[in-house]
Amino acid sequence: QKEVEQNSGPLSVPEGAIASLNCTYSDRGSQSFFWYRQYSGKSPELIMFIYSNGDKEDGRFTAQLNKASQYVSLLIRDSQPSDSATYLCAPEKGGSEKLVFGKGTKLTVNP
Amino acid sequence: DAGITQSPRHKVTETGTPVTLRCHQTENHRYMYWYRQDPGHGLRLIHYSYGVKDTDKGEVSDGYSVSRSKTEDFLLTLESATSSQTSVYFCAISGGRAYNEQFFGPGTRLTVL
């Protein structure tokens, strides 16, 4: 079982729609979970983190965590063309200062 | 933006030559990391540091060494570069807050011919 799995996409949504990005992880010791956005040719940029079961909202972004199911997701409401990027899921490696990155989901928002 | 710089930003070198990449931070963060990013593999940890002169291996450490003599600088060395080390290298830092958030530098694109 891979440590972190994401649908590689590409995920294509129309402008104004909700984009749903999913991630599963294998390490039950993971406590914190991070979402990064990476534009082509750029470095990853932290956009959300979550550590409690449930939802966490920040502007148009909502992170959802279900530790029992080992599942974390990112919802982007009112998607904009500027949201077109690759989104990386990164659970903490249980009990450490390290993160384990998924391979990312490429999102395209069509005007 | 977190105060992280990487140098050089681009480098082309030949197989067998030594290469050193530098990461410099102005945030006084305790932890520093080196990753490589390749198509189909995502971000993979090479080495990390949890303090001055304290380093440890990541998942793809073979062929790489690191040093951290000052809080602000973390060096990655390829002792004898190979074509398989052609990649984009990112430095990251963490330790400013409680939840292991990592912030990335701009990256170095390395090509080994």
Side-chain angles (χ1 to χ4, degrees):
Chain A
Q1 183 182 8
K2 295 180 182 177
E3 288 190 90
V4 182
E5 294 202 58
Q6 296 182 253
N7 187 328
S8 61
L11 173 64
S12 184
V13 301
E15 184 174 356
I18 296 175
S20 178
L21 305 164
N22 305 317
C23 173
T24 58
Y25 62 94
S26 61
D27 185 352
R28 288 195 173 274
S30 297
Q31 296 297 316
S32 305
F33 303 83
F34 302 85
W35 283 99
Y36 287 83
R37 176 176 64 199
Q38 187 174 25
Y39 293 113
S40 181
K42 301 295 186 182
S43 59
E45 172 192 10
L46 179 66
I47 54 172
M48 289 282 291
F49 71 91
I50 186 168
Y51 52 90
S52 298
N53 278 327
D55 295 358
K56 178 182 179 183
E57 188 174 316
D58 184 359
R60 296 186 295 111
F61 298 98
T62 299
Q64 299 175 315
L65 175 60
N66 184 325
K67 290 184 180 179
S69 299
Q70 296 176 257
Y71 175 86
V72 58
S73 66
L74 179 70
L75 301 178
I76 306 174
R77 291 183 300 281
D78 188 24
S79 295
Q80 301 297 309
S82 59
D83 294 326
S84 298
T86 297
Y87 290 80
L88 308 175
C89 170
E92 160 214 317
K93 193 172 180 67
S96 79
E97 297 289 340
K98 295 182 283 187
L99 302 181
V100 181
F101 285 83
K103 294 180 181 180
T105 298
K106 184 174 183 179
L107 171 67
T108 300
V109 180
N110 301 302
Chain B
D1 290 346
I4 313 169
T5 56
Q6 292 185 232
S7 58
R9 293 293 313 279
H10 301 271
K11 186 171 182 66
V12 179
T13 191
E14 294 190 349
T15 298
T17 60
V19 176
T20 295
L21 308 183
R22 180 183 184 232
C23 177
H24 179 78
Q25 61 146 329
T26 58
E27 306 295 322
N28 201 35
H29 281 6
R30 177 182 177 188
Y31 297 91
M32 298 184 77
Y33 309 81
W34 277 108
Y35 293 90
R36 61 179 289 175
Q37 188 173 39
D38 305 288
H41 290 280
L43 276 164
R44 293 181 291 174
L45 183 66
I46 304 171
H47 281 281
Y48 68 102
S49 169
Y50 45 96
V52 173
K53 297 186 179 179
D54 292 324
T55 64
D56 207 347
K57 296 178 179 180
E59 63 178 296
V60 289
S61 59
D62 287 349
Y64 301 95
S65 62
V66 290
S67 66
R68 191 172 179 197
S69 59
K70 299 185 291 185
T71 298
E72 57 266 35
D73 289 327
F74 192 32
L75 303 180
L76 176 71
T77 297
L78 291 65
E79 301 289 349
S80 178
T82 68
S83 58
S84 64
Q85 294 176 311
T86 292
S87 187
V88 179
Y89 291 85
F90 289 106
C91 173
I93 64 174
S94 74
R97 289 187 280 182
Y99 297 106
N100 298 344
E101 301 126 285
Q102 292 186 16
F103 301 95
F104 284 79
T108 293
R109 182 172 295 276
L110 176 67
T111 302
V112 183
L113 301 176

